[in-house]
Amino acid sequence: MSQELWSAIDQYITEHVVRPEPVLDGSLAAAERAGLPQISVAPNQGKLLYLLARMIGARNVLEIGTLAAYSTIWMARALPAEGRVITLEFDPAHAVVARENLERAGLNGVVEVRVGPALETLSGVPRTPPFDLVFIDADKKSIPEYFEWALRLTRRGGLIIVDNVVREGAVLDAGSEDASVLGVRRFNEMLRGEQRVSATTIQTVGSKGHDGITIALID
Ligand code: SAH
Ligand code: DHB
Ligand code: MG
């Protein structure tokens, strides 16, 4: 299997099954024009976030790592009228693009972008009502700390979803000194002993290469 084939299949799936609204494609185009890294979730992964949010009847969503708000828009579109998203972004230039994309998507009143290092802005995130879904997709070295926060902030029956937990298999490298790999490995050590969630990790291939996503349900 090759990257070329994975990307072609992702495109085929996107056209036939995912069928994203034009505003979603528009937000990716705006991100590219602004020179942002092309590390948004793939369309079929965005749709998975949307479906999971709908399946649990999510109203309040927290995202750590906004970039251009592509995943944010997918999740926001899954919520009922009174639903809200708080999304945390370190880079002010990314937040500018995100806010423009949210404006174009008509979601300015639904999504709040908070700028700063997430380990700092998380202290200011309201604890009530608890979140129904937390999507962790910022710097990988701090995934364990973000997961701890998410455990505190999410209701029973809610979901914590963590992106980029396989990274082309780098997760297996016990001798790695890469901060991202160490973060993911520390996260998996946490999960091994964690009684508060039921979790699985699915490896993925597609337009974003070989990676994986962890889904944890709060018991
Ligand atoms: N969730 C987005 C992609 C996020 S990419 C999507 O799928 O559409 C990761 C983002 O996390 C980048 O914009 C990066 O600037 C941001 N980030 C990196 N370190 C961070 C930190 N310490 N706090 C908050 N955001 C951070
Ligand atoms: C990176 C971050 C992501 O969230 C992602 O999906 C892919 C890559 C990165 O920082 O390299
Ligand atoms: Mg990601």
Side-chain angles (χ1 to χ4, degrees):
M1 286 283 271
S2 66
Q3 179 59 56
E4 204 181 333
L5 180 58
W6 298 343
S7 294
I9 293 171
D10 253 10
Q11 195 179 334
Y12 177 82
I13 292 169
T14 298
E15 283 166 13
H16 289 79
V17 186
V18 178
R19 295 184 279 113
E21 301 294 329
V23 73
L24 281 155
D25 294 334
S27 74
L28 285 182
E32 209 177 325
R33 278 198 304 277
L36 267 50
Q38 293 179 32
I39 55 175
S40 310
V41 292
N44 52 355
Q45 296 168 331
K47 184 77 174 275
L48 177 64
L49 294 171
Y50 164 93
L51 289 171
L52 289 168
R54 281 189 57 189
M55 285 181 213
I56 62 163
R59 287 162 191 269
N60 291 289
V61 171
L62 174 65
E63 178 177 63
I64 308 175
T66 316
L67 192 66
Y70 181 72
S71 51
T72 324
I73 294 170
W74 270 113
M75 294 189 287
R77 291 177 64 92
L79 309 185
E82 69 280 14
R84 293 288 177 270
V85 182
I86 295 177
T87 183
L88 310 179
E89 173 54 51
F90 169 74
D91 189 326
H94 295 182
V96 167
V97 178
R99 287 185 176 125
E100 286 167 0
N101 279 336
L102 290 163
E103 167 95 53
R104 268 193 296 272
L107 290 168
N108 260 353
V110 175
V111 180
E112 190 189 337
V113 184
R114 296 192 178 189
V115 180
L119 288 177
E120 290 176 21
T121 52
L122 273 163
S123 339
V125 166
R127 283 167 174 261
T128 50
F131 289 95
D132 305 295
L133 192 163
V134 179
F135 179 46
I136 298 175
D137 193 21
D139 52 316
K140 312 309 166 190
K141 69 175 181 303
S142 298
I143 288 176
E145 286 70 37
Y146 298 147
F147 188 68
E148 284 287 2
W149 272 103
L151 284 170
R152 273 177 245 147
L153 294 169
T154 310
R155 70 162 165 91
R156 284 182 76 172
L159 295 177
I160 303 172
I161 304 171
V162 187
D163 195 24
N164 309 117
V165 294
V166 173
R167 303 304 285 272
E168 315 274 346
V171 66
L172 283 185
D173 183 358
S176 176
E177 291 175 14
D178 179 298
S180 301
V181 175
L182 289 169
V184 173
R185 289 182 62 85
R186 202 151 52 85
F187 168 56
N188 283 314
E189 290 306 321
M190 279 171 76
L191 277 181
R192 191 206 287 266
E194 182 52 69
Q195 300 298 311
R196 289 171 287 183
V197 301
S198 296
T200 191
T201 297
I202 298 294
Q203 296 187 67
T204 55
V205 293
S207 58
K208 303 291 168 174
H210 172 212
D211 213 324
I213 187 165
T214 297
I215 301 176
L217 173 72
I218 313 288
D219 285 323

